[in-house]
Amino acid sequence: MTDSTRRRRVLITGATGGIGSHLATALAADYELVLHGRSPDKAPEGVDLAIADLAEYDEVLALMDGVDTVVNMAGAASPGSSWDAVLAANIVGVRNVLEAAREAGVRRVVLASSNHAMGMYDRYEQWPVYPDQLPRGDSLYGVSKVFGESLGRFYHDEHGLDVINLRIGWMSEDPGEADEEILHAMWLSPRDCTEVVRRAIEAEVTFGLYYAISDNPNRRWSMTNTTLELGYRPQDSVNDHLGTTRVVEGGAEVRDDWPRNS
């Protein structure tokens, strides 16, 4: 196989988590995947899992051999995460991923950011929200995602590393498992999740902040740049899955303690 036809070698960190495990299956035909996890007992049957603690730099660097792109899905994933959890996984861990990618000569890092990096706009219903507005984390988790975006910008500006930040909404097979309107508005289907990550890997743009949400009619977060710069075209809509045509003009009210218990 020549260099021009060789498949990209893509490292997926957090490949045993919800989104990471989905991508490990969905992208397997497109790329040569390296799948990372923290615990060998969580490896699916027949999967060779690369074990590393992302808080340990040398272990992270060892993951990068021959890697073209890192899709970083590892980390504390709940808005209720404690400071200790986000410090180790989302701050130290993200720094280690970016630094190891730089040292190893990796071309691109796709960082899993979150709608919670801007979540205070949602709590106070200050919509629409655009990717170039000032960040307003709604939790320590959200603040840790703001840190990752800012650190990614530094690595892009200082070291020339491609960094694509995806502000991922709420990915679920069944949006009906939650009854909060705001979760329905930010729903991301598994199929659309696969596509937006694929576009983040392939797009020519070398840095950006992009919302990653399905084609939901009550969406309050702009995806214009996701469409124009990444070429993302969502295929699914929460209303189609729920069998409804409901549209809430201006957006439904959000409870005062959002995102607690979301």
Side-chain angles (χ1 to χ4, degrees):
M1 185 176 289
T2 65
D3 286 343
S4 61
T5 60
R6 185 173 56 206
R7 294 196 303 168
R8 285 179 177 162
R9 185 173 172 87
V10 175
L11 166 64
I12 300 177
T13 66
T16 59
I19 296 179
S21 60
H22 165 73
L23 295 173
T25 300
L27 297 177
D30 300 315
Y31 306 105
E32 177 188 347
L33 296 182
V34 179
L35 304 179
H36 155 266
R38 290 191 62 183
S39 303
D41 60 338
K42 292 185 177 180
E45 185 175 353
V47 172
D48 185 14
L49 201 63
I51 305 301
D53 182 347
L54 295 193
E56 299 296 330
Y57 180 74
D58 289 343
E59 294 182 20
V60 179
L61 183 60
L63 299 173
M64 301 290 170
D65 186 34
V67 168
D68 171 82
T69 300
V70 178
V71 176
N72 187 53
M73 293 291 159
S78 168
S81 297
S82 68
W83 169 246
D84 288 342
V86 300
L87 176 62
N90 296 5
I91 294 180
V92 175
V94 168
R95 177 268 173 192
N96 285 345
V97 166
L98 290 166
E99 176 61 17
R102 180 204 66 78
E103 183 174 340
V106 171
R107 177 183 67 92
R108 171 168 297 204
V109 176
V110 179
L111 289 178
S113 186
S114 171
N115 63 87
H116 293 286
M118 306 289 276
M120 283 298 184
Y121 292 106
D122 298 326
R123 180 182 295 183
Y124 297 117
E125 301 163 15
Q126 294 174 347
W127 300 308
V129 180
Y130 297 94
D132 57 354
Q133 289 178 243
L134 288 174
R136 289 178 71 184
D138 59 17
S139 53
L140 291 173
Y141 167 75
V143 170
S144 75
K145 292 301 184 179
V146 175
F147 171 85
E149 293 176 353
S150 183
L151 192 65
R153 184 181 291 274
F154 169 75
Y155 269 84
H156 173 71
D157 291 343
E158 181 72 9
H159 301 295
L161 182 66
D162 291 3
V163 179
I164 306 298
N165 301 277
L166 295 179
R167 287 176 173 167
I168 297 171
W170 173 54
M171 196 196 87
S172 172
E173 289 275 357
D174 177 16
E177 67 183 4
D179 59 7
E180 285 198 80
E181 288 284 350
I182 190 169
L183 289 176
H184 292 169
M186 66 175 61
W187 180 64
L188 177 66
S189 74
R191 175 168 64 168
D192 286 340
C193 180
T194 302
E195 182 59 17
V196 75
V197 171
R198 183 184 289 113
R199 297 310 311 145
I201 294 170
E202 299 287 346
E204 293 184 4
V205 65
T206 58
F207 179 84
L209 306 170
Y210 303 98
Y211 272 100
I213 299 168
S214 286
D215 189 23
N216 307 318
N218 290 318
R219 188 180 71 237
R220 295 92 152 174
W221 309 274
S222 174
M223 291 201 302
T224 299
N225 67 331
T226 318
T227 299
L228 294 178
E229 296 178 16
L230 298 188
Y232 170 57
R233 302 292 188 273
Q235 299 298 304
D236 296 312
S237 167
V238 70
N239 277 13
D240 291 341
H241 279 257
L242 296 179
T244 180
T245 58
R246 183 171 187 241
V247 176
V248 181
E249 293 186 11
E253 291 185 359
V254 177
R255 53 187 168 83
D256 292 340
D257 64 347
W258 169 262
R260 201 167 301 150
N261 301 318
S262 62

